Amino acid sequence: MMQVSNTIKTLLQLLILCFSLQSFAISDTEPEGTVSTKEQVDEYILHHLKDSHDFHLFSYSNDAGERKHIGFPLPVILWSNNGLATFMSSEFHHDDNGQVVVEKNGSKFVKLHSKIYELDNGATSVSFDEEHHATNAHKVLDFSITKSVVGVLLVGLLMLLAFSSLAKQYGKKKIPTGFGRVLEPLVLYVRDEIARPNIGEKHYRKFTGYLLTVFFFIWILNLMGLTPFGFNVTGQIAVTACLAIFTLVIYTVSGNKDYWMHILWMPGVPVFVKPILAIIELAGAFIIKPFSLLVRLFANISAGHIVVMSLIAIMFTLKKSLGVVGATGLSLVLSFFITLIEVLVAFLQAYIFTALSALFIGMAVAEHDHEHEHDSHGHEVADAEDVRGDFI
């Protein structure tokens, strides 16, 4: 465990060192003002919620009024009309308005509203219509290592190191030590309070690994979103949709005969009603369930970021009416308390996603023809399989 801890510390130190060196290497200047008005605050919040092709830490204005950006670039990987094009995001010089043109592999690229466009043949600059949409450029296949991808890779690496260490400890001793003591009760909680009661005693072990991965993956990413580094991975609908699709594939592939019989040809109802119920059940299984998973996580995390940043912006928007001290004090107090709530929400959203996934999987593998326990009067006692069966 000590070796793993030292490895993690070394990796973090290397990352911080690289980020620091890159920060000074790519700092650039732009003649733009600071964020102070309500419109600028709204634009900044919306920009923060989007994914980014570079890692922006902070900005400041020097004595000459020039805007300096501190951060580090990320690899841009594009598939254009002329094939593969790769370069670092620093070549855009923090431009997000389509003014800086990057030419690579015979293609010209601009970055507009956090999206990369390829200029049409013969175009030297991007043109816009009345709604500020590009008229002579089109989107390309973007395989770039964005900020969200960095967050996913970082969390994946941390989870791999932490749980590999925990697994090795179980091979040598019954009680883990070090950081394993923190992980063990959380693992047991997911197994005993989420997987076992929702999936059932017979099948829960098969799906516990997936549920543990989803729970810790979402929880850690939610906590990272509360740090000053600006991660908003679980606030990206593409990420939550991918997680929901994983759950959809698992309970669809694992569904037994009873599950599909209740969906396609519901027993115990009139024949003319069965086709209608089949359409409703299919829509529920393939659309409503995964949609509820992805939207709930995406909406709650995005709303949390918007609320926190809006409260922080009070020190700018209410500076004239409350004064510098009053606006700053109110902003700090409200932001502190809402951040405490967001720490709880980070765990709660990971729990809800995992619990619903376990419930959907349990409904798919529930067996309806099995022996029941009986009470002292000879009556059958409903078990977990029967309870889940009522959902179908």
Side-chain angles (χ1 to χ4, degrees):
M1 185 62 196
M2 183 65 67
Q3 184 178 0
V4 174
S5 300
N6 292 334
T7 303
I8 296 176
K9 290 180 181 178
T10 303
L11 289 173
L12 291 176
Q13 290 173 356
L14 289 175
L15 287 172
I16 293 173
L17 177 61
C18 293
F19 295 169
S20 301
L21 293 175
Q22 290 282 4
S23 296
F24 291 101
I26 70 163
S27 60
D28 199 10
T29 59
E30 288 183 6
E32 60 182 43
T34 58
V35 177
S36 57
T37 65
K38 182 180 181 302
E39 291 74 17
Q40 291 172 334
V41 168
D42 293 340
E43 183 179 354
Y44 184 85
I45 292 176
L46 292 177
H47 180 76
H48 166 78
L49 294 177
K50 297 179 181 178
D51 200 0
S52 176
H53 285 84
D54 53 14
F55 207 108
H56 179 257
L57 298 177
F58 63 92
S59 301
Y60 69 96
S61 297
N62 58 16
D63 296 336
E66 297 175 330
R67 193 69 170 164
K68 287 186 173 291
H69 301 276
I70 305 300
F72 58 92
L74 295 172
V76 176
I77 306 172
L78 307 172
W79 186 264
S80 65
N81 292 336
N82 296 317
L84 185 66
T86 60
F87 54 94
M88 298 300 292
S89 61
S90 56
E91 296 199 27
F92 285 116
H93 300 289
H94 304 283
D95 175 63
D96 197 40
N97 299 317
Q99 297 178 358
V100 176
V101 179
V102 177
E103 186 171 355
K104 293 291 179 180
N105 196 26
S107 298
K108 297 178 181 179
F109 304 99
V110 296
K111 188 153 70 77
L112 182 64
H113 305 310
S114 300
K115 301 292 183 181
I116 296 179
Y117 291 78
E118 180 183 6
L119 294 179
D120 297 337
N121 292 331
T124 57
S125 62
V126 62
S127 301
F128 302 97
D129 57 16
E130 296 179 353
E131 298 180 354
H132 202 67
H133 295 153
T135 58
N136 61 342
H138 57 275
K139 293 182 180 179
V140 294
L141 291 178
D142 194 345
F143 304 100
S144 304
I145 307 298
T146 62
K147 183 192 291 188
S148 294
V149 175
V150 171
V152 170
L153 295 176
L154 180 60
V155 171
L157 176 61
L158 293 176
M159 289 177 60
L160 181 62
L161 293 175
F163 287 101
S164 296
S165 174
L166 181 62
K168 290 179 181 178
Q169 288 193 44
Y170 277 123
K172 299 178 181 179
K173 45 194 171 184
K174 294 183 178 180
I175 300 177
T177 57
F179 190 66
R181 289 188 177 182
V182 178
L183 293 177
E184 185 185 42
L186 295 172
V187 172
L188 295 178
Y189 177 82
V190 174
R191 185 195 69 179
D192 297 336
E193 302 298 330
I194 299 178
R196 181 175 286 172
N198 286 290
I199 299 178
E201 200 69 34
K202 185 177 180 180
H203 302 284
Y204 81 93
R205 288 183 179 274
K206 180 180 179 181
F207 304 99
T208 299
Y210 169 72
L211 297 177
L212 283 170
T213 303
V214 169
F215 176 80
F216 283 99
F217 182 77
I218 295 175
W219 186 31
I220 296 174
L221 283 175
N222 289 348
L223 292 176
M224 287 178 59
L226 299 177
T227 63
F229 294 104
F231 284 108
N232 185 32
V233 181
T234 46
Q236 305 296 327
I237 197 167
V239 176
T240 60
C242 185
L243 293 173
I245 290 174
F246 285 152
T247 299
L248 168 64
V249 171
I250 289 175
Y251 71 69
T252 300
V253 173
S254 303
N256 57 24
K257 179 180 177 181
D258 291 330
Y259 172 73
W260 290 110
M261 180 63 70
H262 280 76
I263 288 181
L264 300 176
W265 204 249
M266 182 75 69
V269 297
V271 175
F272 69 91
V273 179
K274 291 184 178 183
I276 301 175
L277 289 178
I279 296 174
I280 296 174
E281 291 293 335
L282 287 172
F286 290 99
I287 299 177
I288 298 175
K289 288 179 181 177
F291 185 76
S292 66
L293 286 176
L294 72 93
V295 168
R296 180 181 288 104
L297 179 60
F298 161 75
N300 279 280
I301 299 304
S302 297
H305 281 262
I306 293 174
V307 170
V308 171
M309 297 190 70
S310 298
L311 293 177
I312 294 175
I314 287 178
M315 66 178 66
F316 304 112
T317 56
L318 297 182
K319 182 170 59 176
K320 292 183 179 180
S321 57
L322 298 179
V324 176
V325 176
T328 303
L330 180 62
S331 174
L332 291 177
V333 171
L334 294 179
S335 301
F336 174 75
F337 284 108
I338 201 66
T339 301
L340 293 180
I341 296 176
E342 285 300 310
V343 172
L344 175 62
V345 171
F347 175 84
L348 186 61
Q349 290 305 314
Y351 169 81
I352 291 175
F353 191 100
T354 308
L356 287 177
S357 297
L359 178 62
F360 296 157
I361 294 171
M363 292 164 59
V365 300
E367 298 176 358
H368 301 276
D369 296 325
H370 57 278
E371 294 295 330
H372 293 77
E373 296 182 2
H374 296 77
D375 58 20
S376 58
H377 300 287
H379 300 124
E380 292 183 349
V381 178
D383 57 12
E385 304 286 353
D386 299 308
V387 174
R388 286 193 305 280
D390 292 337
F391 282 89
I392 304 176

